[in-house]
Amino acid sequence: MDFDPGLRRSHDNSPFTSIPILDLSLASPSGSPESRTQFRSQLRHALTDVGFLYITNHGVASTVISDLVGILPELFALPSETKSSDLALVNTPHFLGYSALGAETTAGNRDSREQFEFATELPANPSFTCASAADNEEASQEFQVPLYERLKGPNQWPDEAKHAGLAGFRTMMERYTAEMTALGKRFLKLVAEALDLPEETFFSFLSEQHRLKIVRYPPASGTQNNNNKEEEFIQGVGPHKDSSGWWTFLLQASPPHVKGLQVLNKSGQWIDVPVIEGSFVVNIGQAFEVVTQGVCKATTHRVVLSTLQKQERFSVPFFQGVRAHLTRSEAVDTLKMHFASWVKKDAEGSKENEVDSPFLRGKYDTWGESQLRTKIRSHRDVGKRWYPDVYEQYVGDDNK
């Protein structure tokens, strides 16, 4: 790897005021050494000082994206009974399916969104028992698997024969998932190089199943004085860091004038992330922050809906999966020595890269169980139905 020593461990302590835009074509092996060096410098800045970036010239076929975007209104136009009954999230233990408007809360407030959750298509494991983790340790090992492996399984697909507008939907979704899976691996190679690591370093942390959501934010409504049309804002999704994936690749599937996504900088300012056609918005997940010792931060973000916008918003976040049996010690120790010299300290010698992670603070040693707890707390109807033996334990656990 032809690194410029001047790039190593450079940090900008000033708060960002815009999101970096990275052209992946600059990193092409056929490009010049100068362009590759420029790209690594830009990516390193995004990784260590922002946590968010746009990528363009990403290699995902435009038809794959346009086909998916074009069919989204048809998906949400399905009859309410079909969405809330036939395709409901509570139908399976895999947390895949439909959630109605207002079904989730973030930062203590109800979100204004409805969504479908899909994942890499996998068969359900037939070997499960609905036992607690403690019981599992005492059970026969011949047929026993950890309860969190039950998160993996097949999707719930709409019946295309009944809904002509959704013809070809499953094929589109599976193609999109495959394209995003491949993009994610290409991108991780570039991230590793920018952090002075062998290009396949981060592959060992990945799951065989990745998840994505298809989200619709309805037009915001609010109380307005007819003589003074003051703008009000409704919570689409409250402030949060992405906790369910390694990296997130977001398709903002609405026209450029439809706003909503914002990112919090170091000064406490909310920075708009407008739609840039032909791009993905990419951001760091909390697991990646843990593994990089806080050098690469997961950044807080939200979606706010303006009452003056009067238009629905669509988005498709793809969450690169973390392998479920990743332990806390593996996450902390695997690359600890590499990143030790990257950790910044303030004037008093205290670390500036402290990682505030529910996975590190929590009671559960594997990423999979930590995720199962989070999902049950977010979707309690699913937890009650499919995970009764651990439901009270997870809901009663006040660790945040």
Side-chain angles (χ1 to χ4, degrees), residues 364-383:
Y364 313 107
D365 189 52
T366 60
W367 181 262
E369 187 167 11
S370 178
Q371 285 297 293
L372 179 60
R373 167 196 173 273
T374 297
K375 289 186 178 298
I376 287 175
R377 289 168 65 91
S378 297
H379 300 282
R380 300 192 179 192
D381 54 345
V382 181

Side-chain angles (χ1 to χ4, degrees), residues 82-117:
T82 299
K83 292 188 291 186
S84 297
S85 180
D86 298 348
L87 299 173
L89 204 73
V90 74
N91 291 344
T92 80
H94 315 305
F95 294 86
L96 297 172
Y98 174 76
S99 297
L101 186 68
E104 283 196 77
T105 60
T106 306
N109 295 308
R110 193 171 298 278
D111 297 327
S112 181
R113 58 173 168 160
E114 59 175 325
Q115 62 191 21
F116 290 87
E117 299 194 41

Side-chain angles (χ1 to χ4, degrees), residues 43-276:
L43 180 54
R44 188 178 302 226
H45 164 67
L47 292 170
T48 60
D49 298 313
V50 184
F52 262 76
L53 63 148
Y54 293 95
I55 56 173
T56 62
N57 291 316
H58 41 67
V60 178
S62 59
T63 54
V64 172
I65 296 172
S66 61
D67 287 348
L68 178 61
V69 171
I71 208 168
L72 297 186
E74 293 287 347
L75 179 65
F76 287 99
L78 285 169
S80 296
E81 177 67 17
T82 299
K83 292 188 291 186
S84 297
S85 180
D86 298 348
L87 299 173
L89 204 73
V90 74
N91 291 344
T92 80
H94 315 305
F95 294 86
L96 297 172
Y98 174 76
S99 297
L101 186 68
E104 283 196 77
T105 60
T106 306
N109 295 308
R110 193 171 298 278
D111 297 327
S112 181
R113 58 173 168 160
E114 59 175 325
Q115 62 191 21
F116 290 87
E117 299 194 41
F118 295 95
T120 310
E121 185 75 10
L122 293 176
N125 190 313
S127 303
F128 291 107
T129 64
C130 274
S132 68
D135 292 337
N136 286 345
E137 293 178 1
E138 300 174 1
S140 167
Q141 297 299 307
E142 184 176 359
F143 300 106
Q144 191 61 62
V145 294
L147 193 60
Y148 56 71
E149 289 292 333
R150 206 175 195 194
L151 292 172
K152 300 173 185 173
N155 292 290
Q156 297 191 78
W157 298 105
D159 188 339
E160 296 177 20
K162 290 183 179 179
H163 307 285
L166 291 178
F169 175 75
R170 177 170 178 172
T171 299
M172 290 179 195
M173 283 296 299
E174 291 184 332
R175 186 181 176 194
Y176 184 82
T177 300
E179 290 270 3
M180 297 308 295
T181 300
L183 171 61
K185 295 190 78 171
R186 293 197 304 272
F187 183 75
L188 282 188
K189 289 182 178 182
L190 300 175
V191 168
E193 290 180 1
L195 296 173
D196 296 353
L197 290 163
E199 65 178 15
E200 295 190 358
T201 296
F202 297 119
F203 288 5
S204 65
F205 296 97
L206 297 183
S207 169
E208 70 272 30
Q209 187 172 58
H210 310 289
R211 291 179 172 251
L212 70 158
K213 296 182 179 182
I214 299 179
V215 186
R216 174 184 175 268
Y217 302 95
S221 59
T223 57
Q224 293 180 343
N225 184 316
N226 289 332
N227 297 320
N228 182 19
K229 299 291 186 180
E230 293 184 357
E231 187 172 28
E232 299 177 18
F233 292 96
I234 306 298
Q235 174 172 305
V237 178
H240 69 286
K241 298 180 179 182
D242 285 350
S243 62
S244 60
W246 191 236
W247 277 80
T248 302
F249 296 78
L250 172 68
L251 171 64
Q252 298 197 85
S254 292
H257 66 273
V258 178
K259 300 179 180 179
L261 180 60
Q262 297 180 329
V263 176
L264 189 66
N265 73 9
K266 296 176 184 177
S267 295
Q269 299 171 305
W270 288 102
I271 307 302
D272 287 330
V273 187
V275 176
I276 297 179

